[in-house]
Amino acid sequence: MSLKDVNWGPLLTPSKPLSTNENGFISSERQELALQRLSQFNMARAEAWRYTSLKRIVQLKLMSDAQQTEPNWQLSFNEEAIKASSASMLLNSKLRIISLSELAKQNRDQLAEQAFVWIEQQFAQDETMHDLHSLHYRDGLVVIVEAGQDAGELCINMKREKSQVSAQSAIANTLQIDSRNIWFYLAEDAALKVIESFETEQGLQNHTQLSLTSMYLSKNSKLDYVRSQEQSRGNEQTSLHLGRVAATVYAEANLSLTSLNLGSDLCRLELDISLEESQARADLSGLYLGSSDVLLDQHLTLKHKAPSCRSSQSFKGALGAKSRGVFTGRVIVSQGAFDTVAEQNNPNLLLSESAKAVTRPQLEIYNDDVECSHGATVGQLDEDALFYLRARGLDEAAALRALTSAFVGEIRETLPKQNLKRALDSSLKQSLGLELELNEAEEWIDWELISANI
Amino acid sequence: MLEIKDLHVSVAGGTEIIKGLNLSIPAGEVHAIMGPNGSGKSTLSYVLAGHEGYEVTQGSITYMGQDLLAMDASERAQSGVFLAFQYPVEIPGVQNGYFLRSIVNAQRVSQGEPELNPVEFMKKVKEVLKLVKLEPNMLKRSVNEGFSGGEKKRNEVLQMALLAPKLCVLDETDSGLDIDALRIVGHGVDALKGPERSFLVITHYQRLLDHVVPDKVHVLQGGRIIHSGDKNLALELEERGYEWLIEGQS
Amino acid sequence: MSQAPLSKAEQNPEVSSLMAQKYQHGFVTDIESEVAAKGLSEETVRYISAKKNEPEWLLEWRLKSLEIFLSMEMPDWAQLNIPEIDYQDIHYFAAPKERPKSLDEVDPELLKTYEKLGIPLHERAALAGVAVDAVFDSVSVVTTFREELAKHGVIFCSFSEAVHDYPELIKKYLGTIVPRADNYFTALNSAVFSDGSFVYIPKGVRCPMELSTYFRINEANTGQFERTLIIADEGSYVSYLEGCTAPQRDENQLHAAVVELITHDDAEIKYSTVQNWYPGDEEGKGGIYNFVTKRGKCQGKRSKISWTQVETGSAITWKYPSCVLLGDESIGEFYSIALTNHFQQADTGTKMVHIGKNTKSHIISKGVSAGKSQSTYRGLVSVGPKAEGARNFSQCDSLLIGDLCGAHTFPYIEVSRQDAQVEHEATTSKVSEDQMFYCQQRGLSAEEAVALIVTGFCREVLNELPMEFAVEANKLLSVSLEGTVG
């Protein structure tokens, strides 16, 4: 088996022949270049891939283009469903959602032109996920928020149902790829909330999600982004998620990002955040839950390129069964990025004897006017806290449950939607056998209100 | 109520800390244990609460006619043994209100009583909050997290009042308190005194004993009780220190 | 607010003038030496082995190592910019021509060298009760206090002597802790190592004095490849100190050492290093490339290995003193200060490999970067599937002085045990302006204030050093910091 097969397996076969060039962004030259670079990529020697290999899928063949079907896209804007099929899906005074192919074709105004140029530049990058993506490019979505507008909340869900795979393709040894790319372009002073989620129906055959999410935060804009991902896993099939979230944050803009990684057989999530101008801010948090024998690899790079930026990272891993959790988080502070404050934290909880955690919090700092810290822990629950709960009469199981709930509770509280909380709860129950103590009703108890009314 | 006979305790797999301690506390009485640092006071409180870090190598503890050492930490708590911690543990992410309702309900279930719903619980807790001068908003915060020293100790007394234990062990509950906080805590404890409830008050100082007047005072030194007396002993210790007693020993 | 990344240091003339820091051990000693021809080949290896009159098995071992070396590639994962090294342009062996039989016969020039280094062998050894082995270029020149040590059954001699006098011990342990194929530089060292120290502490013996080795590179274009092996038998204890210096030269010189430690049941080795190889000048010219592999194996139950290092020298440092915690309840410790200035680069840290039950490790790393230097902590804590009850705590702090240097922290934590407790904490900050002001207001100069604050920052590690070394290390920190503030 050649080196390249060991690296990328069927992902190195383009989904569509190289000669076709039917969209405005990926040229055949771009594909050619990607193919060349990926073939030469030596995953075994790459520090960034130290704990992850794709050997689970190397024996598989790519499902033919004819067999491929589109997954089910569900979009809603401020709680109203948007029809996903039309080229220009939504257009109002605050924001527009258009397909990439439409953006390439249409007469663009200044804002659309800026977005267009930005996307072109991003696709041209020498970057592994972009290379993979250009081999499996399907049309994408662009969301543009007009200057000064607070657009509200956008939900984008990609669901792959079992029935959508044709019977013929459901044979073993083929791999289906769902590839998607979404671009958020926020003009100055704009604001948007986004919930992006990935789901698959249980019992799906070998399946790969290839996802690219990019964000451009102009001066003083604000983006709240929540990403939730869960794939059907186990049962003689393999699910693979390769995701990349990249954000460029300009002066005084504010990015809040929450990642909920509820599991694939193999999930690699790359987060690449760049604070480009002064007083930009990024707050990143995440939770990854490991069950069965999954491998969850979070790979995060955060660059402070300008003075007076702030960043925080809090990623938690709860790992059960034979799962493995990997966290690599690098904070890079450039020369000249004075007055930087960055903190990073990665606690891991091992919930079974065979689970494994790897954590690499990294600081790379080229300037002395900084306050940076990171912390990482791997272990079980706090023994003093367990004793305290038991000394108050909770039995051991209840005490363990309460503390585990508290461990995941911090992230859970920040989730903006009940359905996300429910997804997390059911995932906790299914994969870790953990019934959350904080049930829906409990959490909403307003003690002060009750107190005032009795 | 509590009968300790010839108790020997070691740190798990290590040195012996309590070396033949005898103590009997009848129902309704308040006993104080005083003694210099390192005499084994806190060890005694942990052993009574069932901490697994300590090993009882010899002797017995009988509580309400039962073998206390045969029970685990939560069983002891459910049957009415309460330890007010010297250093109450912070538990980030566990909401105090939720925590309090859980411990009350755990006790009720163990006694075959139905669980309290939030409104019933709130009625119960509201009275007690007044007793220790805490606001209802403390129920929304995480257990002990970010509490001041006084708030932590008041939260301990609050739990004591909610659980209505039979044996209360107060481990240096007065440490780290200013005069006002001490008065609130002392008043709270005093209000809980009753004919069926016994107290074991571990302290360095007389000042808590002004609020919770002891029936007996014991001096613990080198893992043994070397002297016992009435409430006046505490005053004498405050004045003269421990040395005269320790010298008398050797 | 957005401004170009201007260097505060460059703008300040006072700083530039202060940047000229002097290396105090930069002299060359004029001693007649025997030097092997440049170049790495089977002949070189045979030459070294023949010079040392080595047994056939050791020659074979060296030749195999050379073969391994030639099949390997230079590692590139460190956060270092290493210029290409021409392995054929290096002398692999240099020795003072006459080997002294005792201290009295030692070339007076050589003794003067050690005086200049601050190691007056006679007095110092006598006063401090420190037994000293001094390695000059490739060979060990003198070992003091040997007789005193022999009374306790302690063996302390040069590696070459040990090969002849204690072949069974060398054969049993050589390359078992650091296999020759472990990495590029261990393979090189295993092929061409010249000399070093050997220590054996017998069962139940607490070594009556601290053992000490001074290494010095004197000849030009010479690589130094020493090997140290310390065996602590059951229930024994030894504290071992190591110091290093080299003359000031424009060319870069290579130092690729291997240190192997092993502790049996209940034994303890405390290994302290003050590394002050020539760091190059303020332009980054010259200096030692310090590529060292140090590893200790806690083979026995309840045994302990403790590494303490103060790294202030070398142009490039690539060094990870490690502990393999094999024995149940064994303990590994790593205390490190790495100070870089001017154009120095350091990528250093440790590996704590927990294999046995209830093993513990503790890591304290203090990195100080000044000038245009780059300092990296890289450390692995791994808890294997059988390492029941393993515990680790790591604290890695970095201090930056000036806005042109870099400080990086790259921990690797791999845990396969549910009952493990592993904690890592790190901070990166600059010298606090409040502290500086406070010190200056009390009358200290800026430079004194920085030295004071840095010493305070490093205190936890300095405390781990034996008294003798702590004083020296303190002085070294101040000297290395000269010219870092304005």
Side-chain angles (χ1 to χ4, degrees):
Chain A
M1 193 178 283
S2 75
L3 189 66
K4 65 176 189 180
D5 294 333
V6 176
N7 281 335
W8 301 111
L11 295 181
L12 206 57
T13 313
S15 285
K16 290 182 182 181
L18 285 170
S19 56
T20 57
N21 180 15
E22 60 199 35
N23 67 75
F25 290 97
I26 305 295
S27 62
S28 53
E29 289 79 18
R30 176 69 183 89
Q31 285 190 322
E32 207 86 65
L33 193 63
L35 200 54
Q36 190 192 340
R37 278 202 290 249
L38 290 169
S39 310
Q40 287 163 359
F41 184 81
N42 187 348
M43 204 181 274
R45 264 185 85 103
E47 224 9 52
W49 290 81
R50 188 182 167 103
Y51 298 95
T52 304
S53 95
L54 304 183
K55 64 171 187 281
R56 290 199 208 208
I57 61 155
V58 291
Q59 302 292 355
L60 303 176
K61 283 196 174 58
L62 190 71
M63 188 181 283
S64 73
D65 192 41
Q67 288 172 318
Q68 284 270 7
T69 54
E70 273 290 304
N72 187 5
W73 289 68
Q74 295 162 328
L75 275 79
S76 70
F77 179 64
N78 291 338
E79 308 284 334
E80 264 180 60
I82 303 170
K83 219 173 142 225
S85 54
S86 59
S88 271
M89 291 158 215
L90 190 73
L91 192 60
N92 63 28
S93 60
K94 293 181 172 176
L95 96 169
R96 35 189 137 159
I97 306 175
I98 37 179
S99 68
L100 277 190
S101 48
E102 180 62 22
L103 179 72
K105 273 184 278 178
Q106 70 171 203
N107 287 325
R108 295 180 289 269
D109 62 10
Q110 196 192 347
L111 194 56
E113 182 61 26
Q114 285 166 359
F116 177 82
V117 170
W118 167 61
I119 295 169
E120 263 193 333
Q121 285 167 352
Q122 296 296 307
F123 269 128
Q125 279 183 83
D126 174 6
E127 203 282 323
T128 306
M129 278 298 290
H130 276 104
D131 282 347
L132 274 177
H133 217 90
S134 48
L135 296 186
H136 304 282
Y137 178 82
R138 303 204 161 241
D139 206 352
L141 277 187
V142 191
V143 178
I144 300 173
V145 187
E146 308 286 335
Q149 297 297 329
D150 185 349
E153 185 183 83
L154 179 67
C155 297
I156 305 168
N157 180 40
M158 184 171 81
K159 187 166 185 186
R160 171 59 75 178
E161 280 152 9
K162 208 160 67 173
S163 56
Q164 289 172 308
V165 182
S166 67
Q168 194 193 0
S169 66
I171 42 168
N173 303 329
T174 62
L175 180 72
Q176 182 172 33
I177 297 184
D178 284 344
S179 140
R180 107 173 180 196
N181 59 87
I182 300 184
W183 306 79
F184 297 97
Y185 192 94
L186 275 68
E188 286 191 11
D189 309 311
L192 182 67
K193 289 190 175 69
V194 175
I195 295 159
E196 186 180 18
S197 54
F198 301 81
E199 307 174 53
T200 61
E201 202 179 350
Q202 229 1 281
L204 197 69
Q205 287 290 327
N206 301 315
H207 178 244
T208 292
Q209 290 168 345
L210 207 57
S211 143
L212 211 58
T213 307
S214 306
M215 306 157 183
Y216 185 101
L217 280 77
S218 303
K219 190 179 176 210
N220 197 37
S221 61
K222 187 174 189 319
L223 179 60
D224 286 344
Y225 172 79
V226 178
R227 184 183 206 271
S228 159
Q229 185 270 325
E230 184 167 23
Q231 258 172 309
S232 161
R233 47 194 182 270
N235 296 333
E236 294 169 27
Q237 50 105 346
T238 295
S239 59
L240 170 67
H241 181 91
L242 292 172
R244 175 181 160 85
V245 178
T248 319
V249 188
Y250 290 92
E252 294 156 55
N254 211 320
L255 170 69
S256 152
L257 181 152
T258 305
S259 154
L260 208 54
N261 188 343
L262 303 178
S264 306
D265 287 315
L266 196 160
C267 174
R268 174 166 170 105
L269 176 61
E270 295 181 1
L271 299 169
D272 193 343
I273 315 295
S274 178
L275 303 176
E276 289 286 326
E277 289 177 352
S278 68
Q279 295 180 60
R281 180 183 183 104
D283 295 295
L284 317 175
S285 62
L287 178 67
Y288 44 103
L289 290 183
S291 61
S292 61
D293 61 345
V294 305
L295 169 63
L296 309 176
D297 181 359
Q298 340 284 306
H299 197 91
L300 194 151
T301 311
L302 198 153
K303 299 179 200 117
H304 277 260
K305 292 187 175 170
S308 303
C309 293
R310 300 285 176 266
S311 71
S312 71
Q313 298 170 30
S314 170
F315 282 76
K316 288 185 167 185
L319 303 163
K322 292 180 178 166
S323 66
R324 278 202 292 155
V326 180
F327 174 81
T328 305
R330 179 171 290 206
V331 175
I332 303 172
V333 180
S334 308
Q335 246 178 47
F338 306 122
D339 182 29
T340 289
V341 180
E343 53 179 39
Q344 185 183 48
N345 196 16
N346 175 233
N348 288 277
L349 199 54
L350 293 182
L351 296 162
S352 99
E353 281 178 19
S354 313
K356 185 173 177 180
V358 171
T359 169
R360 294 191 295 168
Q362 308 180 331
L363 299 173
E364 191 175 331
I365 293 163
Y366 297 94
N367 147 30
D368 72 337
D369 191 4
V370 297
E371 251 177 72
C372 297
S373 66
H374 70 208
T377 57
V378 182
Q380 287 173 296
L381 297 164
D382 179 9
E383 282 175 29
D384 289 338
L386 270 176
F387 176 68
Y388 189 72
L389 291 173
R390 292 180 59 212
R392 292 289 175 266
L394 296 189
D395 64 32
E396 190 155 3
L400 281 170
R401 255 196 329 267
L403 291 181
T404 312
S405 303
F407 183 81
V408 299
E410 189 190 48
I411 301 277
R412 190 180 181 279
E413 262 172 46
T414 65
L415 297 176
K417 290 272 177 202
Q418 285 308 306
N419 62 349
L420 288 178
K421 293 187 188 192
R422 277 196 293 273
L424 172 58
D425 294 349
S426 83
S427 184
L428 280 169
K429 192 176 162 189
Q430 276 173 16
S431 51
L432 304 177
L434 187 77
E435 288 235 36
L436 267 190
E437 280 294 296
L438 285 166
N439 62 44
E440 213 81 339
E442 191 80 38
E443 195 191 351
W444 296 103
I445 292 176
D446 185 336
W447 295 108
E448 281 170 296
L449 189 71
I450 296 176
S451 164
N453 289 313
I454 54 176
Chain B
M1 171 79 62
L2 184 73
E3 199 69 46
I4 302 176
K5 283 190 178 143
D6 189 28
L7 186 69
H8 289 254
V9 179
S10 300
V11 179
T15 33
E16 187 169 60
I17 296 170
I18 293 179
K19 304 163 180 172
L21 182 138
N22 292 288
L23 180 67
S24 173
I25 307 179
E29 284 195 7
V30 175
H31 286 219
I33 288 202
M34 302 180 79
N37 288 329
S39 57
K41 300 193 300 291
S42 286
T43 302
L44 178 62
S45 67
Y46 275 132
V47 168
L48 289 172
H51 196 287
E52 280 142 11
Y54 300 91
E55 196 183 339
V56 174
T57 52
Q58 199 178 318
S60 67
I61 305 178
T62 312
Y63 163 73
M64 309 274 295
Q66 287 177 290
D67 178 6
L68 188 72
L69 297 176
M71 300 154 83
D72 77 10
S74 33
E75 288 166 345
R76 293 182 199 199
Q78 287 165 11
S79 67
V81 177
F82 184 92
L83 168 63
F85 283 64
Q86 183 182 358
Y87 304 108
V89 180
E90 296 188 4
I91 312 180
V94 175
Q95 200 197 43
N96 208 26
Y98 163 75
F99 165 73
L100 295 173
R101 194 161 81 91
S102 299
I103 64 176
V104 167
N105 281 335
Q107 188 190 46
R108 292 178 67 91
V109 168
S110 80
Q111 290 163 356
E113 293 168 25
E115 294 193 4
L116 295 181
N117 70 36
V119 175
E120 290 165 332
F121 169 73
M122 194 62 216
K123 282 182 182 160
K124 192 175 158 80
V125 105
K126 215 175 164 183
E127 289 312 305
V128 188
L129 281 169
K130 277 185 211 148
L131 177 73
V132 290
K133 295 202 161 68
L134 283 169
E135 293 300 319
N137 68 11
M138 63 84 72
L139 300 173
K140 288 201 296 192
R141 296 161 68 184
S142 290
V143 179
N144 292 327
E145 194 186 31
F147 282 31
S148 70
E151 283 176 324
K152 280 183 183 170
K153 296 296 169 80
R154 281 187 272 163
N155 196 21
E156 294 290 287
V157 177
L158 174 85
Q159 293 171 41
M160 188 158 82
L162 280 175
L163 292 174
K166 298 191 181 70
L167 174 67
C168 305
V169 182
L170 274 57
D171 187 1
E172 305 209 12
T173 298
D174 51 351
S175 68
L177 296 184
D178 61 26
I179 297 166
D180 289 336
L182 184 70
R183 192 184 308 124
I184 294 167
V185 167
H187 173 71
V189 174
D190 193 51
L192 292 171
K193 285 212 291 196
E196 293 305 316
R197 183 168 296 147
S198 307
F199 285 84
L200 182 62
V201 182
I202 293 171
T203 183
H204 267 296
Y205 307 105
Q206 164 66 28
R207 53 186 205 165
L208 181 63
L209 303 178
D210 288 340
H211 298 275
V212 193
V213 181
D215 297 294
K216 285 225 169 90
V217 175
H218 310 277
V219 177
L220 188 63
Q221 153 66 18
R224 257 190 226 108
I225 288 176
I226 58 165
H227 193 77
S228 299
D230 62 11
K231 62 180 179 185
N232 293 319
L233 176 60
L235 295 168
E236 197 175 354
L237 288 170
E238 182 89 349
E239 203 158 302
R240 297 178 62 189
Y242 298 107
E243 270 178 33
W244 60 283
L245 279 173
I246 296 167
E247 275 160 22
Q249 269 285 298
S250 57
Chain C
M1 192 50 211
S2 100
Q3 55 191 102
L6 283 174
S7 152
K8 290 176 204 157
E10 278 175 349
Q11 291 174 317
N12 189 334
E14 209 178 324
V15 172
S16 328
S17 74
L18 279 168
M19 284 273 185
Q21 169 233 310
K22 292 287 168 287
Y23 182 71
Q24 299 193 325
H25 304 293
F27 55 87
V28 180
T29 308
D30 191 12
I31 288 181
E32 256 196 285
S33 288
E34 190 169 6
V35 179
K38 275 184 184 174
L40 181 62
S41 65
E42 201 182 309
E43 283 66 54
T44 317
V45 172
R46 284 182 186 281
Y47 173 87
I48 296 169
S49 190
K51 272 282 157 206
K52 304 196 148 285
N53 199 14
E54 282 176 354
E56 187 62 25
W57 69 266
L58 191 52
L59 175 63
E60 290 305 319
W61 196 80
R62 285 176 179 277
L63 290 171
K64 180 68 195 166
S65 305
L66 179 67
E67 196 183 310
I68 294 168
F69 173 74
L70 294 173
S71 72
M72 289 174 99
E73 274 178 56
M74 177 104 168
D76 59 0
W77 42 260
Q79 186 87 357
L80 296 172
N81 179 14
I82 306 174
E84 201 168 329
I85 297 168
D86 183 354
Y87 289 92
Q88 298 309 330
D89 195 35
I90 296 173
H91 293 289
Y92 286 86
F93 187 80
K97 231 171 197 166
E98 293 295 315
R99 201 186 145 67
K101 300 280 179 292
S102 81
L103 205 55
D104 300 331
E105 291 175 36
V106 172
D107 187 329
E109 276 290 313
L110 191 56
L111 280 182
K112 255 191 260 164
T113 301
Y114 284 108
E115 297 277 349
K116 281 190 208 163
L117 287 171
I119 322 160
L121 289 177
H122 296 283
E123 300 124 72
R124 185 187 182 107
L127 283 173
V130 177
V132 178
D133 183 22
V135 176
F136 198 82
D137 285 335
S138 305
V139 298
S140 175
V141 285
V142 65
T143 307
T144 62
F145 268 104
R146 194 178 290 190
E147 283 158 29
E148 172 69 16
L149 290 168
K151 276 189 224 155
H152 297 268
V154 173
I155 303 169
F156 179 35
C157 63
S158 75
F159 203 90
S160 320
E161 284 173 287
V163 168
H164 291 281
D165 298 349
Y166 313 99
E168 63 296 334
L169 283 174
I170 299 287
K171 233 174 167 168
K172 185 172 169 191
Y173 290 105
L174 181 70
T176 59
I177 298 142
V178 179
R180 49 195 170 179
D182 187 80
N183 65 63
Y184 193 65
F185 301 111
T186 55
L188 177 63
N189 175 287
S190 301
V192 302
F193 73 87
S194 38
D195 212 333
S197 298
F198 173 79
V199 176
Y200 173 79
I201 315 288
K203 276 185 194 174
V205 171
R206 209 183 148 82
C207 188
M209 60 187 73
E210 271 158 357
L211 305 183
S212 173
T213 297
Y214 273 80
F215 294 104
R216 167 126 185 114
I217 301 177
N218 193 52
E219 284 296 315
N221 299 318
T222 303
Q224 178 145 328
F225 307 94
E226 83 271 2
R227 243 189 130 88
T228 301
L229 173 60
I230 302 178
I231 304 158
D233 218 328
E234 287 173 27
S236 67
Y237 169 85
V238 62
S239 168
Y240 184 90
L241 323 171
E242 171 195 73
C244 330
T245 59
Q248 203 160 328
R249 294 185 190 284
D250 286 349
E251 316 83 49
N252 296 106
Q253 283 179 284
L254 180 63
H255 172 244
V258 170
V259 175
E260 298 181 282
L261 312 182
I262 184 163
T263 49
H264 292 282
D265 287 1
D266 300 297
E268 178 178 348
I269 298 175
K270 188 171 167 59
Y271 194 107
S272 314
T273 304
V274 173
Q275 186 265 105
N276 187 26
W277 294 121
Y278 179 54
D281 67 10
E282 45 269 49
E283 302 298 318
K285 201 170 181 196
I288 302 289
Y289 293 164
N290 190 33
F291 302 145
V292 173
T293 304
K294 293 182 169 180
R295 191 173 304 154
K297 194 197 261 184
C298 284
Q299 172 94 50
K301 289 181 180 142
R302 299 168 300 277
S303 65
K304 178 174 172 184
I305 289 176
S306 176
W307 298 100
T308 306
Q309 61 173 22
V310 178
E311 303 280 317
T312 59
S314 298
I316 304 177
T317 298
W318 180 100
K319 181 182 170 190
Y320 315 91
S322 307
C323 298
V324 180
L325 303 170
L326 215 56
D328 292 351
E329 292 171 52
S330 58
I331 298 173
E333 293 176 338
F334 176 73
Y335 302 100
S336 169
I337 297 169
L339 189 153
T340 54
N341 195 358
H342 303 309
F343 285 88
Q344 280 177 279
Q345 305 177 60
D347 192 307
T348 184
T350 184
K351 291 185 202 174
M352 292 291 173
V353 183
H354 293 257
I355 298 170
K357 289 177 186 158
N358 298 313
T359 48
K360 284 186 192 150
S361 63
H362 196 107
I363 297 171
I364 305 277
S365 164
K366 304 282 179 178
V368 181
S369 319
K372 293 180 178 173
S373 69
Q374 300 292 328
S375 171
T376 300
Y377 166 82
R378 187 184 302 277
L380 168 76
V381 174
S382 118
V383 176
K386 289 178 181 160
E388 184 183 319
R391 295 277 180 276
N392 161 269
F393 177 77
S394 308
Q395 173 79 45
C396 304
D397 297 322
S398 305
L399 193 66
L400 293 140
I401 303 172
D403 53 352
L404 295 175
C405 52
H408 319 302
T409 314
F410 301 146
Y412 299 61
I413 300 163
E414 305 175 6
V415 181
S416 307
R417 283 292 305 193
Q418 187 189 6
D419 55 3
Q421 288 291 0
V422 178
E423 280 179 65
H424 170 94
E425 284 172 16
T427 60
T428 304
S429 53
K430 63 173 169 176
V431 173
S432 136
E433 276 157 22
D434 293 343
Q435 289 173 343
M436 282 295 286
F437 177 73
Y438 188 79
C439 293
Q440 287 176 278
Q441 206 285 321
R442 295 289 180 267
L444 296 181
S445 72
E447 208 157 272
E448 286 166 333
V450 165
L452 188 86
I453 292 164
V454 167
T455 308
F457 174 77
C458 298
R459 175 59 52 205
E460 279 169 283
V461 176
L462 290 171
N463 283 348
E464 291 300 320
L465 284 172
M467 255 295 272
E468 272 284 297
F469 258 31
V471 177
E472 200 174 315
N474 229 330
K475 242 175 25 195
L476 204 53
L477 286 181
S478 304
V479 169
S480 306
L481 280 167
E482 270 171 28
T484 52
V485 277

